[in-house]
Amino acid sequence: MSKRKRIKFLLVLAVLSGLGYGLYQYYQPPLERQQIRFVDSAQAMEDSIRTLRQICQNIETIKAPQFMNCVVQPWDSIMYFRGESVGRFDTLTFANPAFKDMKKGEVRRLLLLLSFLNRNFVSGVYHDTSIDFWLYTYRPDPYYSSFTQVRSLYLCDNRADTLKPAFKHYFTILDRKKKMLLLARNNVQYQRF
């Protein structure tokens, strides 16, 4: 085989290997997206999640019935609050118009909570009003950004919530840690461990 043919063969092999690996990754999400793993303790995370939900519930009562979300995308640090982009997380101040209905202390607490949660792979919270669940985006990844690839944490204060028809219809439980459940949409391909 000539040198030129050998190079072409190696290039084709490399492209096919990359394509195969990409497809494998698409159908087999990384292990860390299938199990709950934090930097800090599970109890600290549970308390922080509960506090963030309380802050967002207070905001919802001020300005209902607007869609409530509070998320910082880890790949570009853009914060979304109440359904709108409010800027880069590291440059936000109390003067940002998105926080005009909140006290400075609440804004400070919110930003500190989001920073702590981001360090633990939770990018924020959104309130799914159609099923009335507060869900926390876990280990978001731009390569798995389609809605069906989202992994969510759910704080299960009442075990009866998991028996609701809406819960069973939409979610599969991938992992549990204390009162936190790691959820995937039912139409998501996943592995059980």
Side-chain angles (χ1 to χ4, degrees):
M1 188 184 291
S2 73
K3 186 175 182 178
R4 185 177 221 145
K5 285 183 179 181
R6 205 174 315 141
I7 291 173
K8 283 183 183 179
F9 174 75
L10 290 174
L11 283 174
V12 168
L13 185 62
V15 168
L16 289 176
S17 296
L19 182 61
Y21 181 74
L23 288 173
Y24 173 78
Q25 289 296 320
Y26 178 76
Y27 291 113
Q28 302 294 329
L31 178 63
E32 64 268 10
R33 295 190 77 236
Q34 304 294 87
Q35 295 179 345
I36 299 173
R37 295 181 182 174
F38 301 126
V39 173
D40 294 293
S41 74
Q43 186 61 52
M45 286 300 294
E46 198 174 293
D47 294 343
S48 298
I49 283 171
R50 192 172 274 112
T51 303
L52 180 61
R53 180 178 62 194
Q54 184 61 48
I55 290 171
C56 290
Q57 283 174 329
N58 291 343
I59 295 167
E60 258 189 348
T61 58
I62 294 169
K63 205 145 184 186
Q66 197 170 20
F67 172 72
M68 184 67 231
N69 73 340
C70 187
V71 177
V72 178
Q73 294 180 348
W75 52 87
D76 62 6
S77 295
I78 300 295
M79 181 175 174
Y80 291 87
F81 186 67
R82 296 183 188 168
E84 296 178 17
S85 171
V86 297
R88 289 184 52 89
F89 184 69
D90 55 353
T91 62
L92 291 177
T93 67
F94 303 114
N96 191 299
F99 307 128
K100 68 180 180 213
D101 298 328
M102 298 173 65
K103 296 176 184 168
K104 284 185 179 182
E106 280 184 314
V107 174
R108 182 175 187 276
R109 192 172 179 200
L110 175 71
L111 296 176
L112 287 173
L113 271 171
L114 285 172
S115 181
F116 175 77
L117 291 171
N118 270 263
R119 188 177 89 167
N120 286 278
F121 317 111
V122 176
S123 66
V125 63
Y126 61 96
H127 186 193
D128 189 334
T129 55
S130 64
I131 53 177
D132 199 30
F133 288 147
W134 288 84
L135 301 168
Y136 304 83
T137 307
Y138 180 71
R139 289 191 184 262
D141 187 328
Y143 300 108
Y144 295 99
S145 61
S146 72
F147 186 68
T148 58
Q149 289 292 329
V150 171
R151 298 293 185 262
S152 301
L153 287 175
Y154 174 68
L155 188 59
C156 186
D157 289 321
N158 182 358
R159 292 190 184 269
D161 288 346
T162 61
L163 301 175
K164 291 180 180 178
F167 188 91
K168 289 180 162 186
H169 176 75
Y170 290 111
F171 301 111
T172 296
I173 299 171
L174 299 177
D175 196 15
R176 298 168 189 263
K177 188 169 279 195
K178 294 189 130 301
K179 291 187 174 185
M180 292 173 286
L181 304 176
L182 180 60
L183 307 177
R185 293 279 171 172
N186 276 333
N187 56 347
V188 175
Q189 293 186 1
Y190 58 91
Q191 301 173 258
R192 290 188 187 268
F193 294 97

mmCIF file of all heavy atoms in Angstrom, residues 70-100:
data_model
loop_
_atom_site.group_PDB
_atom_site.id
_atom_site.type_symbol
_atom_site.label_atom_id
_atom_site.label_comp_id
_atom_site.label_asym_id
_atom_site.label_seq_id
_atom_site.Cartn_x
_atom_site.Cartn_y
_atom_site.Cartn_z
ATOM 1 N N CYS A 70 -34.584 30.275 37.521
ATOM 2 C CA CYS A 70 -33.414 30.963 38.017
ATOM 3 C C CYS A 70 -32.240 30.023 37.754
ATOM 4 O O CYS A 70 -31.981 29.114 38.533
ATOM 5 C CB CYS A 70 -33.592 31.246 39.501
ATOM 6 S SG CYS A 70 -32.297 32.268 40.177
ATOM 7 N N VAL A 71 -31.581 30.210 36.619
ATOM 8 C CA VAL A 71 -30.579 29.266 36.142
ATOM 9 C C VAL A 71 -29.341 30.002 35.660
ATOM 10 O O VAL A 71 -29.446 31.044 35.020
ATOM 11 C CB VAL A 71 -31.153 28.423 34.974
ATOM 12 C CG1 VAL A 71 -30.125 27.480 34.412
ATOM 13 C CG2 VAL A 71 -32.389 27.666 35.411
ATOM 14 N N VAL A 72 -28.164 29.438 35.952
ATOM 15 C CA VAL A 72 -26.902 29.939 35.426
ATOM 16 C C VAL A 72 -26.298 28.832 34.571
ATOM 17 O O VAL A 72 -25.998 27.754 35.070
ATOM 18 C CB VAL A 72 -25.910 30.313 36.552
ATOM 19 C CG1 VAL A 72 -24.592 30.793 35.962
ATOM 20 C CG2 VAL A 72 -26.509 31.360 37.465
ATOM 21 N N GLN A 73 -26.153 29.092 33.276
ATOM 22 C CA GLN A 73 -25.573 28.085 32.396
ATOM 23 C C GLN A 73 -24.066 28.013 32.639
ATOM 24 O O GLN A 73 -23.371 29.020 32.485
ATOM 25 C CB GLN A 73 -25.837 28.425 30.931
ATOM 26 C CG GLN A 73 -27.279 28.359 30.556
ATOM 27 C CD GLN A 73 -27.498 28.697 29.092
ATOM 28 O OE1 GLN A 73 -26.627 29.190 28.396
ATOM 29 N NE2 GLN A 73 -28.696 28.419 28.631
ATOM 30 N N PRO A 74 -23.547 26.851 32.988
ATOM 31 C CA PRO A 74 -22.124 26.769 33.315
ATOM 32 C C PRO A 74 -21.181 26.990 32.141
ATOM 33 O O PRO A 74 -20.050 27.410 32.322
ATOM 34 C CB PRO A 74 -21.965 25.353 33.884
ATOM 35 C CG PRO A 74 -23.160 24.612 33.474
ATOM 36 C CD PRO A 74 -24.241 25.597 33.187
ATOM 37 N N TRP A 75 -21.625 26.749 30.929
ATOM 38 C CA TRP A 75 -20.714 26.884 29.781
ATOM 39 C C TRP A 75 -20.524 28.315 29.327
ATOM 40 O O TRP A 75 -19.542 28.631 28.691
ATOM 41 C CB TRP A 75 -21.148 26.011 28.607
ATOM 42 C CG TRP A 75 -22.576 26.195 28.196
ATOM 43 C CD1 TRP A 75 -23.074 27.113 27.326
ATOM 44 C CD2 TRP A 75 -23.688 25.433 28.647
ATOM 45 N NE1 TRP A 75 -24.426 26.982 27.213
ATOM 46 C CE2 TRP A 75 -24.836 25.947 28.022
ATOM 47 C CE3 TRP A 75 -23.833 24.371 29.530
ATOM 48 C CZ2 TRP A 75 -26.107 25.432 28.233
ATOM 49 C CZ3 TRP A 75 -25.100 23.859 29.743
ATOM 50 C CH2 TRP A 75 -26.218 24.389 29.102
ATOM 51 N N ASP A 76 -21.440 29.234 29.655
ATOM 52 C CA ASP A 76 -21.232 30.629 29.261
ATOM 53 C C ASP A 76 -21.527 31.620 30.392
ATOM 54 O O ASP A 76 -21.425 32.818 30.210
ATOM 55 C CB ASP A 76 -22.048 30.986 28.016
ATOM 56 C CG ASP A 76 -23.551 30.855 28.219
ATOM 57 O OD1 ASP A 76 -23.994 30.598 29.362
ATOM 58 O OD2 ASP A 76 -24.288 30.996 27.228
ATOM 59 N N SER A 77 -21.891 31.120 31.570
ATOM 60 C CA SER A 77 -22.166 31.927 32.769
ATOM 61 C C SER A 77 -23.304 32.928 32.599
ATOM 62 O O SER A 77 -23.389 33.895 33.343
ATOM 63 C CB SER A 77 -20.907 32.669 33.232
ATOM 64 O OG SER A 77 -19.942 31.755 33.643
ATOM 65 N N ILE A 78 -24.181 32.702 31.638
ATOM 66 C CA ILE A 78 -25.347 33.580 31.472
ATOM 67 C C ILE A 78 -26.429 33.145 32.457
ATOM 68 O O ILE A 78 -26.739 31.964 32.578
ATOM 69 C CB ILE A 78 -25.896 33.521 30.029
ATOM 70 C CG1 ILE A 78 -24.833 33.962 29.024
ATOM 71 C CG2 ILE A 78 -27.166 34.359 29.882
ATOM 72 C CD1 ILE A 78 -24.412 35.411 29.137
ATOM 73 N N MET A 79 -26.995 34.123 33.161
ATOM 74 C CA MET A 79 -28.062 33.830 34.119
ATOM 75 C C MET A 79 -29.406 34.141 33.484
ATOM 76 O O MET A 79 -29.584 35.183 32.855
ATOM 77 C CB MET A 79 -27.893 34.655 35.387
ATOM 78 C CG MET A 79 -28.967 34.372 36.412
ATOM 79 S SD MET A 79 -28.659 35.250 37.952
ATOM 80 C CE MET A 79 -30.141 34.877 38.864
ATOM 81 N N TYR A 80 -30.341 33.218 33.672
ATOM 82 C CA TYR A 80 -31.720 33.409 33.241
ATOM 83 C C TYR A 80 -32.577 33.499 34.500
ATOM 84 O O TYR A 80 -32.466 32.678 35.402
ATOM 85 C CB TYR A 80 -32.186 32.244 32.360
ATOM 86 C CG TYR A 80 -31.486 32.237 31.029
ATOM 87 C CD1 TYR A 80 -30.264 31.607 30.869
ATOM 88 C CD2 TYR A 80 -32.036 32.910 29.937
ATOM 89 C CE1 TYR A 80 -29.604 31.636 29.656
ATOM 90 C CE2 TYR A 80 -31.380 32.938 28.721
ATOM 91 C CZ TYR A 80 -30.168 32.296 28.588
ATOM 92 O OH TYR A 80 -29.516 32.327 27.385
ATOM 93 N N PHE A 81 -33.400 34.539 34.538
ATOM 94 C CA PHE A 81 -34.215 34.805 35.716
ATOM 95 C C PHE A 81 -35.600 35.222 35.251
ATOM 96 O O PHE A 81 -35.732 36.139 34.439
ATOM 97 C CB PHE A 81 -33.541 35.922 36.531
ATOM 98 C CG PHE A 81 -34.177 36.202 37.846
ATOM 99 C CD1 PHE A 81 -34.150 35.270 38.860
ATOM 100 C CD2 PHE A 81 -34.790 37.418 38.080
ATOM 101 C CE1 PHE A 81 -34.729 35.547 40.097
ATOM 102 C CE2 PHE A 81 -35.370 37.706 39.303
ATOM 103 C CZ PHE A 81 -35.337 36.755 40.309
ATOM 104 N N ARG A 82 -36.619 34.513 35.702
ATOM 105 C CA ARG A 82 -38.005 34.772 35.287
ATOM 106 C C ARG A 82 -38.165 34.683 33.777
ATOM 107 O O ARG A 82 -38.884 35.467 33.165
ATOM 108 C CB ARG A 82 -38.476 36.137 35.764
ATOM 109 C CG ARG A 82 -38.544 36.291 37.239
ATOM 110 C CD ARG A 82 -39.084 37.665 37.577
ATOM 111 N NE ARG A 82 -39.000 37.936 38.991
ATOM 112 C CZ ARG A 82 -39.188 39.108 39.532
ATOM 113 N NH1 ARG A 82 -39.480 40.132 38.775
ATOM 114 N NH2 ARG A 82 -39.104 39.259 40.824
ATOM 115 N N GLY A 83 -37.462 33.737 33.174
ATOM 116 C CA GLY A 83 -37.614 33.499 31.743
ATOM 117 C C GLY A 83 -36.807 34.399 30.832
ATOM 118 O O GLY A 83 -36.920 34.311 29.624
ATOM 119 N N GLU A 84 -35.973 35.281 31.388
ATOM 120 C CA GLU A 84 -35.201 36.209 30.563
ATOM 121 C C GLU A 84 -33.727 36.173 30.934
ATOM 122 O O GLU A 84 -33.370 35.956 32.092
ATOM 123 C CB GLU A 84 -35.711 37.644 30.758
ATOM 124 C CG GLU A 84 -37.137 37.851 30.304
ATOM 125 C CD GLU A 84 -37.602 39.275 30.556
ATOM 126 O OE1 GLU A 84 -36.755 40.159 30.782
ATOM 127 O OE2 GLU A 84 -38.814 39.494 30.519
ATOM 128 N N SER A 85 -32.881 36.427 29.949
ATOM 129 C CA SER A 85 -31.449 36.539 30.188
ATOM 130 C C SER A 85 -31.191 37.864 30.909
ATOM 131 O O SER A 85 -31.665 38.908 30.472
ATOM 132 C CB SER A 85 -30.699 36.510 28.851
ATOM 133 O OG SER A 85 -29.349 36.827 29.051
ATOM 134 N N VAL A 86 -30.432 37.802 32.010
ATOM 135 C CA VAL A 86 -30.151 39.024 32.771
ATOM 136 C C VAL A 86 -28.666 39.378 32.763
ATOM 137 O O VAL A 86 -28.268 40.352 33.399
ATOM 138 C CB VAL A 86 -30.670 38.930 34.228
ATOM 139 C CG1 VAL A 86 -32.172 38.798 34.238
ATOM 140 C CG2 VAL A 86 -30.012 37.799 34.984
ATOM 141 N N GLY A 87 -27.846 38.612 32.055
ATOM 142 C CA GLY A 87 -26.422 38.934 31.938
ATOM 143 C C GLY A 87 -25.529 37.842 32.477
ATOM 144 O O GLY A 87 -25.988 36.812 32.952
ATOM 145 N N ARG A 88 -24.224 38.122 32.401
ATOM 146 C CA ARG A 88 -23.236 37.160 32.913
ATOM 147 C C ARG A 88 -23.283 37.146 34.430
ATOM 148 O O ARG A 88 -23.315 38.194 35.077
ATOM 149 C CB ARG A 88 -21.838 37.510 32.421
ATOM 150 C CG ARG A 88 -21.651 37.238 30.932
ATOM 151 C CD ARG A 88 -20.223 37.492 30.485
ATOM 152 N NE ARG A 88 -19.251 36.800 31.302
ATOM 153 C CZ ARG A 88 -18.810 35.552 31.065
ATOM 154 N NH1 ARG A 88 -19.262 34.872 30.049
ATOM 155 N NH2 ARG A 88 -17.902 35.002 31.857
ATOM 156 N N PHE A 89 -23.282 35.956 34.982
ATOM 157 C CA PHE A 89 -23.433 35.777 36.426
ATOM 158 C C PHE A 89 -22.363 36.517 37.224
ATOM 159 O O PHE A 89 -22.654 37.132 38.239
ATOM 160 C CB PHE A 89 -23.410 34.281 36.758
ATOM 161 C CG PHE A 89 -23.645 33.985 38.199
ATOM 162 C CD1 PHE A 89 -24.882 34.196 38.767
ATOM 163 C CD2 PHE A 89 -22.621 33.488 38.999
ATOM 164 C CE1 PHE A 89 -25.115 33.921 40.111
ATOM 165 C CE2 PHE A 89 -22.839 33.193 40.327
ATOM 166 C CZ PHE A 89 -24.085 33.416 40.886
ATOM 167 N N ASP A 90 -21.122 36.488 36.754
ATOM 168 C CA ASP A 90 -20.023 37.105 37.499
ATOM 169 C C ASP A 90 -20.025 38.630 37.444
ATOM 170 O O ASP A 90 -19.250 39.275 38.145
ATOM 171 C CB ASP A 90 -18.676 36.548 37.045
ATOM 172 C CG ASP A 90 -18.447 36.681 35.550
ATOM 173 O OD1 ASP A 90 -19.378 37.078 34.822
ATOM 174 O OD2 ASP A 90 -17.328 36.382 35.099
ATOM 175 N N THR A 91 -20.912 39.229 36.647
ATOM 176 C CA THR A 91 -20.967 40.689 36.566
ATOM 177 C C THR A 91 -22.280 41.262 37.110
ATOM 178 O O THR A 91 -22.491 42.470 37.038
ATOM 179 C CB THR A 91 -20.802 41.161 35.107
ATOM 180 O OG1 THR A 91 -21.885 40.655 34.323
ATOM 181 C CG2 THR A 91 -19.472 40.709 34.526
ATOM 182 N N LEU A 92 -23.149 40.429 37.648
ATOM 183 C CA LEU A 92 -24.442 40.908 38.145
ATOM 184 C C LEU A 92 -24.280 41.725 39.423
ATOM 185 O O LEU A 92 -23.449 41.415 40.269
ATOM 186 C CB LEU A 92 -25.381 39.730 38.422
ATOM 187 C CG LEU A 92 -25.873 38.973 37.209
ATOM 188 C CD1 LEU A 92 -26.723 37.783 37.630
ATOM 189 C CD2 LEU A 92 -26.660 39.865 36.281
ATOM 190 N N THR A 93 -25.103 42.766 39.538
ATOM 191 C CA THR A 93 -25.114 43.598 40.736
ATOM 192 C C THR A 93 -26.553 43.754 41.207
ATOM 193 O O THR A 93 -27.500 43.367 40.522
ATOM 194 C CB THR A 93 -24.542 45.005 40.448
ATOM 195 O OG1 THR A 93 -25.440 45.682 39.553
ATOM 196 C CG2 THR A 93 -23.153 44.931 39.851
ATOM 197 N N PHE A 94 -26.705 44.366 42.382
ATOM 198 C CA PHE A 94 -28.041 44.625 42.931
ATOM 199 C C PHE A 94 -28.844 45.549 42.031
ATOM 200 O O PHE A 94 -30.061 45.545 42.059
ATOM 201 C CB PHE A 94 -27.935 45.258 44.328
ATOM 202 C CG PHE A 94 -27.151 44.445 45.297
ATOM 203 C CD1 PHE A 94 -25.951 44.901 45.804
ATOM 204 C CD2 PHE A 94 -27.619 43.206 45.702
ATOM 205 C CE1 PHE A 94 -25.235 44.140 46.712
ATOM 206 C CE2 PHE A 94 -26.898 42.439 46.609
ATOM 207 C CZ PHE A 94 -25.710 42.898 47.112
ATOM 208 N N ALA A 95 -28.157 46.372 41.253
ATOM 209 C CA ALA A 95 -28.809 47.370 40.405
ATOM 210 C C ALA A 95 -29.417 46.773 39.137
ATOM 211 O O ALA A 95 -30.100 47.485 38.403
ATOM 212 C CB ALA A 95 -27.806 48.452 40.026
ATOM 213 N N ASN A 96 -29.184 45.509 38.879
ATOM 214 C CA ASN A 96 -29.745 44.881 37.682
ATOM 215 C C ASN A 96 -31.269 44.993 37.714
ATOM 216 O O ASN A 96 -31.894 44.683 38.730
ATOM 217 C CB ASN A 96 -29.314 43.413 37.616
ATOM 218 C CG ASN A 96 -29.639 42.779 36.286
ATOM 219 O OD1 ASN A 96 -30.792 42.703 35.893
ATOM 220 N ND2 ASN A 96 -28.611 42.316 35.602
ATOM 221 N N PRO A 97 -31.895 45.443 36.623
ATOM 222 C CA PRO A 97 -33.348 45.634 36.600
ATOM 223 C C PRO A 97 -34.145 44.350 36.908
ATOM 224 O O PRO A 97 -35.273 44.430 37.377
ATOM 225 C CB PRO A 97 -33.634 46.089 35.166
ATOM 226 C CG PRO A 97 -32.335 46.510 34.597
ATOM 227 C CD PRO A 97 -31.260 45.850 35.367
ATOM 228 N N ALA A 98 -33.565 43.195 36.686
ATOM 229 C CA ALA A 98 -34.269 41.932 36.959
ATOM 230 C C ALA A 98 -34.575 41.768 38.446
ATOM 231 O O ALA A 98 -35.526 41.085 38.810
ATOM 232 C CB ALA A 98 -33.432 40.746 36.479
ATOM 233 N N PHE A 99 -33.784 42.426 39.309
ATOM 234 C CA PHE A 99 -33.941 42.271 40.755
ATOM 235 C C PHE A 99 -34.662 43.449 41.409
ATOM 236 O O PHE A 99 -34.612 43.605 42.621
ATOM 237 C CB PHE A 99 -32.570 42.089 41.417
ATOM 238 C CG PHE A 99 -31.742 40.991 40.828
ATOM 239 C CD1 PHE A 99 -30.437 41.230 40.423
ATOM 240 C CD2 PHE A 99 -32.257 39.719 40.664
ATOM 241 C CE1 PHE A 99 -29.661 40.222 39.884
ATOM 242 C CE2 PHE A 99 -31.489 38.700 40.126
ATOM 243 C CZ PHE A 99 -30.192 38.950 39.735
ATOM 244 N N LYS A 100 -35.346 44.268 40.619
ATOM 245 C CA LYS A 100 -35.943 45.500 41.161
ATOM 246 C C LYS A 100 -37.020 45.229 42.209
ATOM 247 O O LYS A 100 -37.254 46.073 43.078
ATOM 248 C CB LYS A 100 -36.501 46.362 40.035
ATOM 249 C CG LYS A 100 -37.693 45.760 39.341
ATOM 250 C CD LYS A 100 -38.210 46.641 38.229
ATOM 251 C CE LYS A 100 -39.395 45.950 37.605
ATOM 252 N NZ LYS A 100 -39.552 46.168 36.235
#
